[in-house]
Amino acid sequence: MESTLAVSGVTASQDGLLEPLPMLRLIKGVEKLDAGLRSLDHYRTKLPLWRYTPRQRLIPLVRWETPYLAAMQKAMRSPALDTYFSTTANLGTHTFFMIFLPILFWCGYTSLGRGMTHVLASGVFFSGFLKDMWCLPRPLSPPLKRITMSHSTALEYGFPSTHSTNAVSVAVYALFMLNSPESSVHPSLKLILQIASCCYATSIILGRIYCGMHGFFDVLVGSVLGALLSIIQCLYGEIFDQFIYTGTFKSPVIVVLIILVLVRIHPEPADDCPCFDDSVAFAGVMIGIELGNWHFSRSGMAWDEPVLATVPFNLGALGWPITIARIVIGVLMVFAWREIMKPTLLRILPPVFRVIESLGLDLPRKFFVQASEYNKVPNQLKDDNVIPSVSEIPSLLTSIRHPRRSRSVSIGPQSEADAYETLAYRAQLRRESKSNMARANPEIDEKRSIQQDTPDYFGISTSNASRKHPTAGLLPTPASSNLDLSKSMTEAETAIYTPLTPSSSRGSRQPSAERRQDEKEEKEMFSKLEKPRVRYDVEVITKLIVYTGIAWIAVEGAPILFTTIGLGLQGKPP
């Protein structure tokens, strides 16, 4: 039976682009907004103007498509499709590709593996870069229901869709390789693989929309990004490889420095979003691939055909038993490296970081605790969405065998971004009520609460006879009320405007009863959200080293071991 996360909320709208900020008070060096206004100005105060302005211009598009997404989901939903799309979404995850890509290298498909790694690592990095840059939310729930097997995914921003970027980049690159002059694939098999590539990308993209995780805009931009990265790889990948593998050690060092600079300038998100973690992991993959391939091409154990640094492999000469043994040993090497190096680095790096911090040379990130503020990093830190730990493998296998038990259907805000949208929507309802009321009768006393026919979030005029607090129904509710909540999002409702407490320039700053109620509901809403785990500054370097090592094992470490223990091929390619 599928599980349900019973939290509720509605979507929201931010206020105007350049309206004056509320009065600020500095208390012990901490910026403090007037009571009741902190959440409404969250992104305006957290983001620089050059990031905030585009975000505000894109938000209406994200909100406009929500009712269409909800209607599409409602028309299509069935238990079978829920299982299919939530399960196949795993084929677009980082974990799937991190297990699949090394096998390409070990089986002699070095050119394909290298190209796939380039487009996938670039896709994960730059899609995460854009997510943290613009901080755009996912399509909100309700009216959508989010169907997923990964609870951490909902903590990320929505734009663009990394799943779509990965799927399209893989499909486009596969089609290019199949149609290249060097391809020796039989025409019938080529046609099957071409159809499979197109179906794979289409299924992943449609699944992200069906599962309520992304909107049309998210998957469109994600797909364009993936296609663009693949086209760049197809056109310039060979030139890039020649620059790396035929040059001196200075060539890969230049690439590594560029990658480290990109990691350093990765945008700070307004909320605690885990996108940066995945970007760092795949930055490490790129570093390991380039350094490993450069050194392996000079080791005397690699083939120079069909491309430099090719891992020696021939299925006819080795046979299936040895091939399977190579894959099993290689995968075990990857997990062993991670299990040993991660806790080791998390134990030895904090003292080093404290020394660096004392010299003023630390590289702080907003949501990472600095080494001077903790004694040690806890054991069994669940910080990895890319390669699971050994202890997590049984639950991973269980989720594959029983997908219905592992998926969840969530209704309501799941992240801080969702909650801020809910609160901003409440503010928009009041502004629109006030504006409509003033146009209808400019002489109405604005100090009274007035029932007014007001367009709702989706532009539908709503009214009924009931008088209720304008924030009713915005907070997490019990599971039994989910159906009523979902219905309330699509049925008519009344928006009541109550004037905010006058600012200090007009009189008392004492919050009104409604303002106090809003603050209480805001605190309750955020208390119901899944709290992001504490992240430590040493994790950034730890991820870089661990994933650099994993990539090195894939392209050089494991192939050298295969040759050493008699599972490799000697001599030149046949």
Side-chain angles (χ1 to χ4, degrees), residues 532-554:
R533 67 169 186 84
V534 176
R535 293 188 287 173
Y536 303 89
D537 53 359
V538 295
E539 293 182 48
V540 177
I541 301 300
T542 298
K543 279 185 179 292
L544 279 174
I545 296 176
V546 167
Y547 282 92
T548 296
I550 289 174
W552 175 82
I553 289 172

Side-chain angles (χ1 to χ4, degrees), residues 389-412:
S389 64
V390 173
S391 61
E392 295 173 337
I393 292 179
S395 61
L396 182 63
L397 295 177
T398 300
S399 67
I400 295 174
R401 291 196 305 267
H402 306 287
R404 287 200 176 192
R405 298 179 186 176
S406 304
R407 75 168 186 255
S408 64
V409 179
S410 305
I411 303 176

Side-chain angles (χ1 to χ4, degrees), residues 225-492:
L225 176 61
L228 180 62
L229 292 172
S230 287
I231 291 172
I232 293 174
Q233 172 64 29
C234 294
L235 295 178
Y236 303 106
E238 187 174 342
I239 298 174
F240 178 78
D241 289 347
Q242 288 293 323
F243 167 75
I244 294 290
Y245 308 125
T246 61
T248 64
F249 187 62
K250 181 171 67 175
S251 298
V253 168
I254 291 174
V255 175
V256 169
L257 291 176
I258 293 174
I259 293 173
L260 294 178
V261 169
L262 289 174
V263 170
R264 180 64 186 90
I265 66 174
H266 194 285
E268 291 272 13
D271 309 292
D272 193 354
C273 175
C275 299
F276 179 69
D277 298 30
D278 295 338
S279 296
V280 169
F282 275 86
V285 169
M286 284 288 284
I287 292 173
I289 288 288
E290 307 312 338
L291 291 177
N293 272 322
W294 180 88
H295 188 265
F296 189 54
S297 66
R298 288 163 169 75
S299 66
M301 299 183 182
W303 288 351
D304 294 335
E305 297 176 7
V307 295
L308 292 173
T310 295
V311 176
F313 178 83
N314 185 286
L315 182 59
L318 292 176
W320 279 106
I322 292 180
T323 299
I324 294 174
R326 285 161 60 108
I327 294 174
V328 171
I329 291 173
V331 171
L332 291 176
M333 288 180 66
V334 168
F335 280 97
W337 166 265
R338 182 190 181 280
E339 289 297 310
I340 294 172
M341 288 305 299
K342 178 185 169 184
T344 301
L345 290 170
L346 292 178
R347 184 171 60 252
I348 66 176
L349 285 179
V352 177
F353 268 60
R354 292 186 190 104
V355 174
I356 296 175
E357 186 179 342
S358 66
L359 299 175
L361 301 177
D362 59 317
L363 302 177
R365 295 282 300 182
K366 185 184 301 181
F367 297 103
F368 286 78
V369 181
Q370 294 188 343
S372 60
E373 301 176 12
Y374 61 88
N375 294 322
K376 66 177 182 177
V377 179
N379 296 325
Q380 302 298 323
L381 191 65
K382 294 184 178 181
D383 66 329
D384 208 325
N385 298 323
V386 182
I387 294 290
S389 64
V390 173
S391 61
E392 295 173 337
I393 292 179
S395 61
L396 182 63
L397 295 177
T398 300
S399 67
I400 295 174
R401 291 196 305 267
H402 306 287
R404 287 200 176 192
R405 298 179 186 176
S406 304
R407 75 168 186 255
S408 64
V409 179
S410 305
I411 303 176
Q414 295 173 270
S415 67
E416 291 181 357
D418 292 346
Y420 284 123
E421 282 290 280
T422 298
L423 298 170
Y425 173 45
R426 177 177 66 191
Q428 176 180 317
L429 284 179
R430 290 174 177 167
R431 287 193 306 274
E432 291 180 350
S433 294
K434 180 180 179 180
S435 176
N436 291 344
M437 177 184 63
R439 285 196 299 268
N441 189 347
E443 297 181 357
I444 286 183
D445 181 6
E446 295 184 1
K447 293 184 179 179
R448 292 183 297 134
S449 297
I450 298 176
Q451 180 175 323
Q452 183 68 26
D453 183 32
T454 304
D456 72 358
Y457 177 75
F458 305 119
I460 304 172
S461 180
T462 60
S463 65
N464 58 30
S466 65
R467 295 178 58 86
K468 57 183 179 181
H469 191 276
T471 62
L474 297 184
L475 296 179
T477 58
S480 60
S481 67
N482 281 346
L483 179 60
D484 294 336
L485 174 66
S486 181
K487 292 172 61 177
S488 71
M489 283 295 299
T490 56
E491 295 177 351

